[in-house]
């Protein structure tokens, strides 16, 4: 990344961080229903990966997917409006926090069943190959997903069919509340499994946006060239608990402190300054992000509630929901 | 083309017709390529269309249906085979949580035009884990269309409609019907999903049946005719969309209703048919409704035991006699 690209990535991470903070505040105010799974701390993975992808590549994410949706073109306003059950939401308020999708920019969905989307990403990659394009597909998932059958089925299928798909594990050390190390037979839940499928398995610092961008660019290039899938394990940490208002007291204080010192925004800022970017210029990016998200919150709040009749649309491709004649 | 075609051959013929007209149609499944499928329902496809359109998969039901879904979301029309319908349970997440919901929860952004084909039902002595009639599993989930043809012509016509559909379709091919034969339909034969067929006319009672139960109902009707009872037989052909207008219209002529289901009585589709009739067509009835359905047990192995569990011509005849006398 050159300094301008890194500054853009930094600003995008700042927007995502502030949007997530807003989502959390709105949740505590009772304006966001259900639950949220905040990705604060994981921003460098979504932003770094997106910087390495083409706009026509496909992305599949999990319920912890606000960062991916925004990195792939969903606006903070669309996302917040969705969380606040507004008709102006990204999915017309039918998806919610766990299902942010923006198909028009290749963000083909956030899936709340752990691991379910890995075979779908393989299928999208298969489709790209069948249609003769050089698009690739990327599935982002948590460390917990590596113990699900669909993970293993998808890896094997992608490997034997040599599909242009990238499996990116966001290893934040925990499933919900259980450390992944307590329930997994190998130390690297993703990368250590790659050899079993005969594909590359790499580990990257998931808090370093530049490192992620470089790793994804390399593996994506390989996939695009027809050399098949790869598994990338990005080490990271979530700043908040698993979901809602989980205070995450199950995590040792010393561990939390160590990881918060490695905040992906701080790391990017440090790199920018090292590259000679004036602090003031970085500060302006922060200010733009703050203003953009403040405006997005206001606009999302002002959005109308959905028409209740919308509940009976979009089951079928004709737009309706009729199951009988 | 020959002047008869088997139900088994009709499956491959139906798929082939669509693959010829639409290059985005691709097939995937276990043993479907060179081997032509364990039921020989995909014979010839690999030879005609090659390995880039007919893909053998590992034994990975989740990957098969999940990959079909990803491909369907991105411009293809995949036809995925799940060898026995019992194995749908191995990829149930995709049928229950992913495929039928993605359009809805994305607010209409994503369509999933795929077909999941599977060999359904009992009668062949395959035992409890290879014999179930599972169309009811799918019937509980809003967002899946469900086709279950009973004749070779319908297999071809409904396969065309299923593959052309922009909605996901689960296509149940009945194992007990694979060897049956019928006239091959003309080119470009399409049977719109959600259109039931009145396959025998009669004024005394309506028998509503699906798939393998259609010939059972027809045989029962022939037998009853000898006793002076004329049964009208409705082949539903699809569970979603469910053609209740044809059922209600038939009831308007006969005023008596019997559903004939292979699946267990508990949770069977007949319960839904009957409940719509009770709700909207009560005044059409001159007698109670009857459901002839499978017993609520796992399918046993021995012929004599299987016959005890699955509806037979005799059981249908007995149910109709009781009603006619009412
Ligand atoms: C199949 C399935 N099992 C359980 C759950 C409940 N659940 C939701 S999130 C989660 C933890 C997943 O952890 P991980 O994959 O590491 O992702 P992270 O939340 O850390 O991003 C669990 C168990 C689920 N959604 N789906």
């Amino acid at each position: 990344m050159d300094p301008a690209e890194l500054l853009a990535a930094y600003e995008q991470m700042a927007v995502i961080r502030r949007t997530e903070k807003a989502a959390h505040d709105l949740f505590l105010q009772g304006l966001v229903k259900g639950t949220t799974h905040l990705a604060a701390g994981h921003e460098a993975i979504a932003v770094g990966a997106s910087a390495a992808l083409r706009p026509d590549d496909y992305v599949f994410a999990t319920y912890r997917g606000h960062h991916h949706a925004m990195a792939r073109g969903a606006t903070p306003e669309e996302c917040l409006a969705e969380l606040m059950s507004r008709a102006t939401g990204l999915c017309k308020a039918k998806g919610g926090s766990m299902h942010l999708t923006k198909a028009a920019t290749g963000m083909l969905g956030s899936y709340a069943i752990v691991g379910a989307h890995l075979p779908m990403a393989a299928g999208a990659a298969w489709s790209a190959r069948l249609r003769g394009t050089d698009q690739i597909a990327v599935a982002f998932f948590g460390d917990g997903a590596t113990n699900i059958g669909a993970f293993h089925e998808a890896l094997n299928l992608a490997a034997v069919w040599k599909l242009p798909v990238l499996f990116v594990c966001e290893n934040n050390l925990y499933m919900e509340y259980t450390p992944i190390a307590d329930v997994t037979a190998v130390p690297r839940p993703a990368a250590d499994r790659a050899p079993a499928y005969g594909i590359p398995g790499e580990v990257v610092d998931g808090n370093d946006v530049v490192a992620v961008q470089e790793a994804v660019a390399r593996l994506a290039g390989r996939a695009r060239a027809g050399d098949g899938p790869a598994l990338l394990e990005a080490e990271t940490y979530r700043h908040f608990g698993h979901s809602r208002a989980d205070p995450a007291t199950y995590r040792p204080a010393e561990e939390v402190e160590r990881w918060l010192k490695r905040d992906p925004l701080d790391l990017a800022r440090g790199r920018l300054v090292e590259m000679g970017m004036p602090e003031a210029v970085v500060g302006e990016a922060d200010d733009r992000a703050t203003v953009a998200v403040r405006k997005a919150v206001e606009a999302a709040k002002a959005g109308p509630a959905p028409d209740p009749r919308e509940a009976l649309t979009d089951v079928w491709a004709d737009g309706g929901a009729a199951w009988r004649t | 083309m020959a002047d008869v075609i088997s139900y088994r051959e009709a499956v491959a013929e139906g798929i082939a017709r669509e693959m010829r007209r639409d290059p985005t149609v691709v097939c995937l499944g276990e043993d479907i390529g060179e081997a032509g499928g364990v039921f020989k329902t995909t014979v010839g496809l690999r030879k005609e269309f090659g390995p880039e359109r007919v893909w053998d998969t590992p034994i990975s039901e989740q990957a098969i249906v999940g990959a079909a879904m990803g491909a369907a979301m991105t411009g293809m029309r995949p036809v995925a085979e799940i060898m026995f319908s019992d194995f749908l349970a191995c990829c149930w997440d995709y049928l229950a949580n992913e495929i039928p919901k993605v359009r809805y929860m994305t607010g209409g952004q994503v369509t999933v035009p795929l077909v999941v084909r599977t060999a359904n039902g009992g009668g062949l002595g395959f035992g409890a884990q290879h014999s179930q009639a599972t169309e009811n599993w799918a019937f509980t989930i809003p967002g899946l269309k469900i086709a279950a043809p009973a004749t070779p012509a319908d297999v071809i016509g409904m396969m065309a409609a299923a593959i052309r559909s922009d909605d996901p379709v689960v296509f149940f091919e009945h194992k007990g019907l694979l060897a049956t034969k019928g006239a091959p339909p003309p080119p470009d034969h399409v049977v719109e999903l959600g259109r039931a067929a009145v396959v025998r006319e009669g004024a005394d009672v309506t028998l509503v049946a699906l798939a393998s139960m259609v010939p059972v109902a027809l045989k029962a009707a022939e037998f009853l005719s000898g006793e002076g009872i004329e049964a009208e037989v409705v082949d539903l052909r699809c569970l979603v969309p469910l053609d209740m207008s044809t059922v209600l219209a038939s009831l308007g002529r006969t005023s008596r209703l019997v559903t004939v289901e292979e699946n267990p009585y508990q949770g069977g589709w007949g319960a839904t048919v009957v409940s719509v009739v009770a709700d909207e067509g009560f005044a059409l009835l001159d007698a109670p409704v009857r459901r002839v359905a499978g017993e609520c047990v796992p399918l046993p192995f021995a012929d004599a035991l299987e016959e005890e569990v699955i509806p037979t011509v005799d059981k249908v005849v007995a149910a109709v006699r009781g009603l006619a006398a009412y």
Side-chain angles (χ1 to χ4, degrees):
Chain A
M1 280 193 189
D2 65 26
E5 287 165 340
L6 182 54
L7 184 67
Y10 175 82
E11 186 168 334
Q12 200 172 29
M13 290 199 289
V15 167
I16 293 171
R17 173 69 57 84
R18 284 161 178 73
T19 306
E20 292 242 284
K21 172 79 169 61
H24 189 60
D25 293 346
L26 292 163
F27 179 83
L28 295 177
Q29 290 163 35
L31 289 170
V32 170
K33 269 200 337 170
T35 188
T36 55
H37 300 79
L38 301 179
H42 292 215
E43 296 90 347
I45 300 170
V47 170
S50 290
L53 297 178
R54 279 198 333 222
D56 62 340
D57 290 330
Y58 300 116
V59 163
F60 294 79
T62 72
Y63 50 86
R64 193 183 308 287
H66 298 173
H67 53 325
H68 298 299
M70 287 186 272
R72 289 298 280 180
T75 66
E77 180 190 333
E78 288 171 321
C79 295
L80 291 170
E82 183 68 23
L83 269 60
M84 281 193 277
S85 306
R86 308 297 158 144
T88 47
L90 197 52
C91 307
K92 303 198 251 174
K94 286 179 175 167
S97 164
M98 295 202 273
H99 303 295
L100 297 183
T101 298
K102 187 154 181 169
T105 60
M107 167 64 194
L108 285 183
S110 322
Y111 297 85
I113 306 297
V114 167
H117 59 302
L118 276 68
M120 294 177 214
W126 181 50
S127 152
R129 175 166 149 193
L130 290 167
R131 287 177 290 111
T133 77
D134 64 349
Q135 295 161 287
I136 69 162
V138 183
F140 296 96
F141 54 95
D143 40 279
T146 63
N147 291 319
I148 281 264
F151 168 87
H152 298 277
E153 292 197 11
L155 256 63
N156 182 60
L157 189 79
V160 290
W161 286 6
K162 264 196 152 195
L163 300 176
V165 56
L166 218 56
F167 299 102
V168 180
C169 176
E170 304 185 19
N171 184 356
N172 60 17
L173 311 186
Y174 290 83
M175 309 191 320
E176 279 178 350
Y177 314 118
T178 305
I180 190 69
D182 291 1
V183 293
T184 307
V186 290
R188 300 275 182 200
D192 284 352
R193 262 76 174 256
Y197 299 104
I199 64 173
E202 295 188 11
V203 178
V204 69
D205 179 351
N207 284 16
D208 180 349
V209 71
V210 176
V212 172
Q213 188 270 337
E214 286 171 358
V216 171
R218 191 161 29 76
L219 298 173
R222 218 185 139 267
R224 230 184 275 289
D227 292 336
L231 191 49
L232 181 64
E233 180 168 335
E235 298 178 300
T236 189
Y237 205 68
R238 52 171 153 75
H239 288 184
F240 291 91
H242 169 66
S243 64
R244 276 181 283 199
D246 165 27
T249 46
Y250 45 86
R251 302 192 302 194
E254 173 278 324
E255 178 187 286
V256 177
E257 198 183 325
R258 180 156 40 89
W259 277 96
L260 288 181
K261 275 199 205 121
R262 305 202 65 255
D263 185 319
L265 275 82
D266 294 344
L267 293 186
R269 177 185 274 272
R271 273 184 177 272
L272 278 167
V273 172
E274 249 171 53
M275 285 172 161
M277 181 76 65
E279 290 265 10
V281 175
V282 184
E284 282 163 22
D286 279 320
D287 294 344
R288 282 194 298 273
T290 304
V291 172
V293 174
R294 193 186 303 135
K295 281 190 181 150
V297 171
E298 291 316 312
K301 274 185 181 168
D307 180 339
R309 282 173 301 190
E310 272 289 324
L312 300 182
T313 64
D314 289 333
V315 172
W316 305 118
D318 66 9
W323 59 279
R324 48 170 284 202
T325 59
Chain B
M1 169 168 271
D3 48 0
V4 290
I5 185 169
S6 69
Y7 187 104
R8 181 193 315 281
E9 291 160 344
V11 175
E13 172 66 15
I15 298 169
R17 288 186 185 188
E18 291 310 301
M19 291 184 80
R20 284 176 205 131
R21 59 175 287 283
D22 181 351
T24 69
V25 180
V26 285
C27 296
L28 72 166
E30 294 158 23
D31 301 323
I32 68 164
E34 223 49 69
V38 290
F39 293 108
K40 301 292 171 209
T41 44
T42 55
V43 169
L45 296 181
R46 179 72 163 256
K47 191 155 184 282
E48 180 174 352
F49 300 102
E52 282 291 304
R53 304 232 5 231
V54 180
W55 292 64
D56 278 323
T57 65
I59 304 164
S60 300
E61 278 74 13
Q62 299 186 48
I64 293 168
V65 180
M69 183 180 172
M73 293 162 77
T74 51
M76 303 303 292
R77 288 190 179 265
V79 178
E81 177 177 308
I82 297 296
M83 193 183 281
F84 283 78
S85 66
D86 313 70
F87 311 164
L88 289 175
C90 298
C91 51
W92 197 237
D93 180 43
Y94 292 90
L95 287 147
N97 282 317
E98 315 297 339
I99 291 165
K101 292 178 182 167
V102 76
R103 192 183 155 77
Y104 191 80
M105 67 192 195
T106 64
Q109 294 180 62
V110 185
T111 297
V112 192
L114 60 74
V115 178
V116 177
R117 304 171 33 239
T118 190
N120 193 40
L124 299 185
F126 280 135
Q129 295 181 331
H130 287 72
S131 300
Q132 295 166 90
T134 66
E135 63 275 5
N136 294 296
W137 297 0
F139 193 42
T140 61
I141 304 161
L144 295 176
K145 292 196 166 160
I146 302 171
T151 67
D154 279 356
V155 167
I156 291 172
M158 289 166 69
M159 188 69 78
I163 293 174
R164 294 179 200 186
S165 165
D166 288 331
D167 293 311
V169 180
V170 188
F171 199 94
F172 289 95
E173 295 154 14
H174 202 286
K175 293 195 284 288
L177 298 174
L178 289 171
T180 61
K181 294 191 164 78
D188 210 33
H189 178 64
V190 181
V191 176
E192 192 189 332
L193 301 179
R195 284 283 164 88
V198 177
V199 291
R200 183 187 196 281
E201 292 185 357
D204 299 323
V205 59
T206 297
L207 303 181
V208 178
L210 186 77
S212 66
M213 290 297 112
V214 174
V216 169
L218 284 169
K219 276 195 200 107
E222 285 311 313
F223 187 87
L224 288 159
S225 184
E227 298 183 1
I229 302 170
E230 293 303 331
E232 182 147 306
V233 178
V234 176
D235 175 358
L236 277 181
R237 304 203 282 201
C238 278
L239 293 182
V240 179
L242 183 65
D243 183 358
M244 283 307 299
S245 33
T246 295
V247 174
L248 290 165
S250 174
L251 267 183
R253 295 186 286 271
T254 65
S255 78
R256 285 175 169 75
L257 173 67
V258 178
T259 59
V260 188
E261 304 165 65
E262 177 175 339
N263 47 249
Y265 188 100
Q266 88 193 15
W269 55 258
T272 297
V273 169
V274 161
S275 75
V276 175
V277 168
D279 204 1
E280 298 169 24
F282 191 70
L284 300 173
L285 293 170
D286 285 330
V289 294
R290 289 277 177 265
R291 287 181 61 209
V292 180
E295 296 293 341
C296 297
V297 298
L299 255 283
F301 164 66
D303 286 352
L305 300 178
E306 216 180 25
E307 256 176 51
E308 188 63 24
V309 167
I310 296 175
T312 57
V313 173
D314 289 349
K315 290 182 205 174
V316 178
V317 166
V320 174
R321 272 197 201 122
L323 265 196
Y326 186 86

